[in-house]
Amino acid sequence: MTRWYCTLDAIKDELGDTGTANDARLRRYIASASRAIEDMTGRTFVPVTDTKRFDAPDNDWLFLSYEDLSSLIALEDGTGAIPVEYCRLYPLNMTPKHTVMVDAGAFGRGFEYDDPLGAIAVTGRWGYCEDVTPTGLVLSADVANTTATAIVLSGAGCEVGWTLLVDTEAMFVLAVSGNVATVERGANGTTAATHKTGAVVSRYVVPADIEQACLEMAIATNNTRTSGGIRQESIGEYSVSYGASAAIPPTAQATLRRYRRASV
């Protein structure tokens, strides 16, 4: 899974762990907690670029069937492309979006199709949010549009578990050594591309309470790893089991309830 909701450095700081002997185990716990957060809320908190298909509506309003749309890239119906400038996303003043309206008056037509089933293709960045923040770093060397995974940065400070954004490509940080980051290229549906020296390196940030929930859940698993048995936690109709006796901390449970999508 290429979406972590807290970093390796963050959990090690909480545990006072200054070595590397436990890194592999802590990575597994972060990944497991991040998956559980997505499963239990029905949402992703780092955007995934993808094309999803929907049944055509009988008017100009397309409800996205409980999907979270962060931003629209392209829209196509049975006739062809509908330029995004003729589309309006709702709700207007908040994210994520759940409805696309085609301005038929400005575009000259609404949705057109022969068979309504799966007739509308929506390409976008899907997720609860797509907030980014500067890392203060830039690329110190060109990066080719290949599977090359080592990128050289202008300084230190990159963390394992960050999802970087360079131009339009997302990169998941797998390891860091000094100013060299080993990354997974083309993460979360993006495409590996060529990047020039000096390209700005940003990173995606998730809501602070989601980050804290991930941290608490991973630490709970770590701290109970020697206990036997299976522990199951439930939120509504959804339940998750941990191999150790790791209970989901109450504050994390409360956070996930707040973010849980109605369709889950």
Side-chain angles (χ1 to χ4, degrees):
M1 176 172 169
T2 55
R3 292 180 298 280
W4 284 9
Y5 297 131
C6 72
T7 66
L8 182 61
D9 285 351
I11 191 172
K12 291 175 70 173
D13 286 345
E14 285 288 325
L15 295 172
D17 188 340
T18 59
T20 59
N22 300 318
D23 284 7
R25 184 179 73 243
L26 295 177
R27 286 170 180 262
R28 292 196 301 271
Y29 297 161
I30 294 170
S32 177
S34 299
R35 284 194 298 269
I37 287 171
E38 292 191 357
D39 288 345
M40 297 172 74
T41 62
R43 302 183 188 274
T44 64
F45 297 90
V46 172
V48 177
T49 301
D50 196 9
T51 298
K52 299 177 184 285
R53 301 201 73 90
F54 300 89
D55 293 345
D58 56 8
N59 52 38
D60 298 331
W61 294 77
L62 175 67
F63 178 60
L64 299 175
S65 303
Y66 303 102
E67 297 282 356
D68 290 339
L69 180 62
S70 179
S71 56
L72 179 65
I73 297 173
L75 183 68
E76 185 175 342
D77 63 6
T79 300
I82 300 174
V84 295
E85 57 263 33
Y86 295 107
C87 301
R88 298 180 185 176
L89 304 182
Y90 290 86
L92 287 175
N93 300 308
M94 54 190 297
T95 57
K97 309 298 185 181
H98 56 62
T99 300
V100 180
M101 189 274 281
V102 174
D103 188 346
F107 182 47
R109 68 172 180 86
F111 291 113
E112 295 181 351
Y113 48 88
D114 293 324
D115 182 352
L117 299 180
I120 312 300
V122 181
T123 301
R125 285 180 286 274
W126 303 87
Y128 183 83
C129 54
E130 56 173 324
D131 298 331
V132 296
T133 189
T135 63
L137 304 169
V138 299
L139 296 181
S140 291
D142 290 354
V143 176
N145 60 340
T146 64
T147 56
T149 58
I151 61 172
V152 183
L153 305 170
S154 58
C158 191
E159 296 188 25
V160 174
W162 278 359
T163 299
L164 304 178
L165 182 64
V166 183
D167 298 324
T168 59
E169 180 186 352
M171 305 179 187
F172 181 74
V173 180
L174 299 165
V176 177
S177 178
N179 68 332
V180 178
T182 301
V183 299
E184 177 183 322
R185 301 291 305 278
N188 297 318
T190 62
T191 301
T194 298
H195 308 287
K196 295 296 184 181
T197 300
V200 173
V201 179
S202 301
R203 69 179 179 93
Y204 285 105
V205 292
V206 304
D209 49 357
I210 289 293
E211 182 178 14
Q212 182 64 26
C214 184
L215 187 62
E216 292 177 2
M217 292 164 67
I219 288 174
T221 304
N222 178 74
N223 290 348
T224 57
R225 67 187 184 278
T226 58
S227 302
I230 299 291
R231 180 62 175 262
Q232 185 177 72
E233 293 295 327
S234 299
I235 295 180
E237 297 179 353
Y238 185 85
S239 64
V240 61
S241 298
Y242 285 81
S245 301
I248 299 178
T251 52
Q253 290 190 48
T255 294
L256 301 188
R257 287 192 188 99
R258 288 196 302 273
Y259 283 95
R260 186 178 183 224
R261 198 170 59 199
S263 62
V264 176

